[in-house]
Amino acid sequence: MKRLIVGITGASAGVYAIRLLEVLTEHEDIEVHLTISASGARALFEELQIKIDLNNFDLESLIGVSSPRVIYHHESDIAAPIASGSFRTEGMIVVPCSMGSLASIASGISRNLIQRAADVCIKERRKLVLVPRETPLSSIHLENMLKLSRMGVTVLPAMPGFYHFPKNVDDLLNFVVTKILDQFGIDTKLIQRWKE
């Protein structure tokens, strides 16, 4: 079974994280280790009116279904398995990734479990995909992204394409989720690919 870490931080567009989790729970060969920052929970409530309790987390409150293959870790649980390089995973996705989280990861600062798990992926040379959603981008943002890219981190902004002729918001979400999961070789059949 593949293990993937998913971190949700306090940037706009938590809807991408929800769609990603919906898709991942459909794959019986994938175990998801999920952690959500307090600001991530706040953003989910502000944008989507989804209220989650980080101290008593229930996946169903986030995506409408439960799954034994989604293991939740509180952001303050530095003893969680994903905080250690000896816990083997395919890598990690931070979606959405706030610029504060991106800056902390770029600087090697581990103030919560999301940042620590990302640091582990970098030091273990595992796939790390950061999905920022911010515009416009400052020089500081761009420098942090360049620094991470040079370390081998994939910076995958939440920028949907339009060559698949999207008809609704779900089509736009599916485009970005497909791009994220392509990084891990996970096929979704969610979109019509170019020239296919």
Side-chain angles (χ1 to χ4, degrees):
M1 185 169 288
K2 290 184 177 181
R3 287 177 179 152
L4 276 179
I5 305 167
V6 174
I8 301 174
T9 70
S12 181
V15 67
Y16 286 111
I18 290 169
R19 185 65 184 124
L20 176 69
L21 290 169
E22 289 171 348
V23 171
L24 287 174
T25 56
E26 294 170 2
H27 287 262
E28 294 185 0
D29 62 337
I30 297 174
E31 180 181 274
V32 177
H33 288 260
L34 174 65
T35 182
I36 306 169
S37 71
S39 56
R42 174 69 183 267
L44 288 168
F45 179 73
E46 295 291 340
E47 290 189 350
L48 304 168
Q49 301 303 294
I50 295 174
K51 188 166 181 63
I52 55 176
D53 182 352
L54 295 179
N55 295 314
N56 189 24
F57 180 75
D58 175 20
L59 182 65
E60 196 166 343
S61 66
L62 185 60
I63 64 170
V65 296
S66 293
S67 172
R69 293 184 312 280
V70 177
I71 296 101
Y72 170 75
H73 307 282
H74 194 279
E75 70 164 334
S76 66
D77 185 7
I78 298 302
I82 59 174
S84 173
S86 64
F87 186 76
R88 290 182 291 187
T89 69
E90 301 296 314
M92 180 176 186
I93 303 156
V94 182
V95 56
C97 183
S98 68
M99 287 302 159
S101 295
L102 191 143
S104 292
I105 294 165
S107 301
I109 299 169
S110 298
R111 292 178 295 189
N112 63 28
L113 184 58
I114 294 171
Q115 295 165 13
R116 171 59 187 166
D119 186 55
V120 166
C121 286
I122 292 170
K123 80 181 182 70
E124 298 291 335
R125 304 286 194 254
R126 294 178 186 151
K127 178 66 77 172
L128 175 59
V129 177
L130 305 181
V131 185
R133 211 299 319 153
E134 185 68 77
T135 191
L137 296 169
S138 74
S139 296
I140 295 169
H141 301 154
L142 293 167
E143 286 172 1
N144 285 332
M145 289 183 199
L146 179 60
K147 182 178 180 181
L148 286 162
S149 180
R150 286 176 170 158
M151 287 184 224
V153 174
T154 299
V155 179
L156 197 155
M159 296 177 179
F162 291 85
Y163 56 80
H164 65 301
F165 303 108
K167 295 179 177 53
N168 51 46
V169 172
D170 282 346
D171 290 343
L172 299 174
L173 297 176
N174 287 340
F175 181 91
V176 173
V177 167
T178 296
K179 287 291 196 179
I180 293 168
L181 293 179
D182 278 354
Q183 295 296 310
F184 296 90
I186 300 169
D187 198 5
T188 62
K189 310 282 194 246
L190 292 175
I191 64 167
Q192 178 70 33
R193 293 179 183 272
W194 181 251
K195 301 293 186 184
E196 286 186 5

